């Protein structure tokens, strides 16, 4: 039993580290996305070509953010599934994750992973619309002259 508890403890610590990485990833990519979006919008009037490049950079950031979050979330889900199985009657005398999941569902709040998936999409849409709008502005300036 002690051996199983040690394995459980190691996996819990690993899951916590994955969750911390996901939080840090969200802060880093979110901050970078805000900076890129702000810079792109502020350059739009005077430097439309630079703005277009920044909007393209925002798209790349959002796609990378989404891929990273998907990977970390999948790893965390697999880890939590393993831990839940380890909470079976033969391996672990307590049911922490099972009880935590029930308490979370009782709150009727959206899981964090759904909210995390929406933020990169918002920046992806902003970047795409900004890039298309900026390219249209540049093109109309060239065609009208």
């Amino acid at each position: 039993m002690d051996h199983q508890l040690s394995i459980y403890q190691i996996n819990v610590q690993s899951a916590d580290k994955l969750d911390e990485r996901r939080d840090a990833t969200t802060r880093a990519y979110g901050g970078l996305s805000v900076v890129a979006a702000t810079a792109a919008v502020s350059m739009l009037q005077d430097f439309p070509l630079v703005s277009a490049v920044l909007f393209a950079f925002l798209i790349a950031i959002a796609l990378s953010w989404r891929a990273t979050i998907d990977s970390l979330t999948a790893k965390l889900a697999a880890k939590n599934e393993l831990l839940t199985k380890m909470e079976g009657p033969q391996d672990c005398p307590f049911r922490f994750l099972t009880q935590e999941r029930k308490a979370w569902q009782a709150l009727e709040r959206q899981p964090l992973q759904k909210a995390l998936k929406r933020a990169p999409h918002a920046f992806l849409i902003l970047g795409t619309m900004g890039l298309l709008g900026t390219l249209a502005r540049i093109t109309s300036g060239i065609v009208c002259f």
Side-chain angles (χ1 to χ4, degrees):
M1 180 67 87
D2 288 337
H3 179 68
Q4 291 295 333
L5 287 175
S6 296
I7 293 171
Y8 182 85
Q9 181 181 7
I10 290 168
N11 282 299
V12 167
Q13 290 169 349
S14 175
D16 284 343
K17 287 179 183 177
L18 275 173
D19 196 37
E20 289 170 8
R21 280 182 57 200
R22 189 171 64 172
D23 290 344
T25 296
T26 298
R27 283 191 300 276
Y29 277 105
L32 191 55
S33 294
V34 167
V35 168
T38 303
V41 169
S42 68
M43 299 265 184
L44 186 58
Q45 187 67 30
D46 297 328
F47 304 102
L49 190 56
V50 173
S51 181
V53 170
L54 288 169
F55 278 123
F57 184 57
L58 179 60
I59 292 168
I61 293 168
L63 291 172
S64 179
W65 182 5
R66 176 60 196 254
T68 303
I69 289 296
D70 283 349
S71 174
L72 291 172
T73 300
K75 288 177 186 177
L76 190 57
K79 184 72 69 175
N80 283 334
E81 183 66 30
L82 173 67
L83 289 168
T84 301
K85 286 180 183 177
M86 289 183 77
E87 288 181 358
Q90 71 277 5
D91 295 332
C92 205
F94 46 85
R95 312 280 180 271
F96 177 77
L97 285 176
T98 307
Q99 291 173 358
E100 181 185 43
R101 188 171 294 130
K102 285 180 184 177
W104 180 252
Q105 290 171 347
L107 291 174
E108 297 180 1
R109 299 227 169 100
Q110 224 172 20
L112 180 60
Q113 70 187 45
K114 287 184 181 180
L116 289 175
K117 287 182 179 182
R118 289 189 178 129
H121 280 285
F123 283 107
L124 180 61
I125 291 168
L126 176 65
T128 302
M129 298 301 288
L131 179 61
L132 292 174
T134 305
L135 292 176
R137 182 169 183 242
I138 292 170
T139 304
S140 70
I142 293 171
V143 171
C144 291
F145 285 113

